[in-house]
Amino acid sequence: MTRKQKRLAVIAGGMGFILAAVLLVMFAFSQSVAYFYMPADLAKTPVAPEIRIRLGGLVGEGSVVRGTGSTVEFAVTDGSTNAVIVKYTGILPDLFREGQGVVTEGMFATGTNVFIADTVLAKHDETYMPKDVADRLKAQGLWKDGQEAKATP
């Protein structure tokens, strides 16, 4: 084997190694991707039960039903007439409440339209302020009556 052939063999081997590494990384990422959907999106294009997704929207008013143990059932809506029933077993975040933004992760139960969540993340808007901080600002006279900050109960 000549010197030129050895150099080409090393370059080809290196390129093959890099290609294999890129393919493995792409495969790993494709297994952990969870697409984000709103209830209106799901009404237009249903998702197969075995596909893992993120469902986001607002917790429907009057929809939270506590079951036995730590099982909770609630509706996620996006302000339209579309709502998705979500079942979750576990401890809910402190900011979880009706009318509040929420992102759930999981998949649809086979044969039903019920979304089985294994992760629930509660969201708050940019005007959120803890109750203690709001009370201190009011006591110091720094709180303006017209401010749009929400204090948690």
Side-chain angles (χ1 to χ4, degrees):
M1 199 180 258
T2 66
R3 191 172 167 195
K4 186 175 182 179
Q5 289 174 333
K6 288 181 183 178
R7 187 179 317 136
L8 286 175
V10 168
I11 290 172
M15 294 296 279
F17 178 76
I18 290 173
L19 180 64
V22 167
L23 289 175
L24 285 173
V25 167
M26 288 176 61
F27 178 74
F29 280 140
S30 71
Q31 297 297 317
S32 65
V33 171
Y35 295 103
F36 183 81
Y37 290 93
M38 298 285 286
D41 299 335
L42 293 173
K44 293 176 189 171
T45 55
V47 176
E50 64 274 0
I51 296 177
R52 185 170 180 77
I53 65 168
R54 286 186 178 153
L55 172 66
L58 298 174
V59 178
E61 294 290 334
S63 68
V64 178
V65 178
R66 304 216 182 252
T68 58
S70 60
T71 301
V72 179
E73 186 174 310
F74 56 94
V76 174
T77 183
D78 57 358
S80 65
T81 58
N82 303 313
V84 177
I85 303 299
V86 177
K87 281 189 179 181
Y88 174 69
T89 302
I91 299 172
L92 290 169
D94 290 337
L95 293 175
F96 180 87
R97 64 181 176 272
E98 295 175 358
Q100 190 69 30
V102 69
V103 175
T104 60
E105 191 170 332
M107 58 186 69
F108 282 96
T110 306
T112 66
N113 288 332
V114 176
F115 187 76
I116 306 299
D118 53 31
T119 305
V120 174
L121 304 170
K123 301 187 311 180
H124 60 78
D125 59 7
E126 67 278 355
T127 60
Y128 168 77
M129 185 176 299
K131 183 179 182 339
D132 296 339
V133 175
D135 289 343
R136 277 193 235 137
L137 288 174
K138 286 178 185 177
Q140 294 173 356
L142 299 173
W143 184 269
K144 296 177 185 172
D145 287 331
Q147 285 183 329
E148 291 289 327
K150 297 179 183 176
T152 57

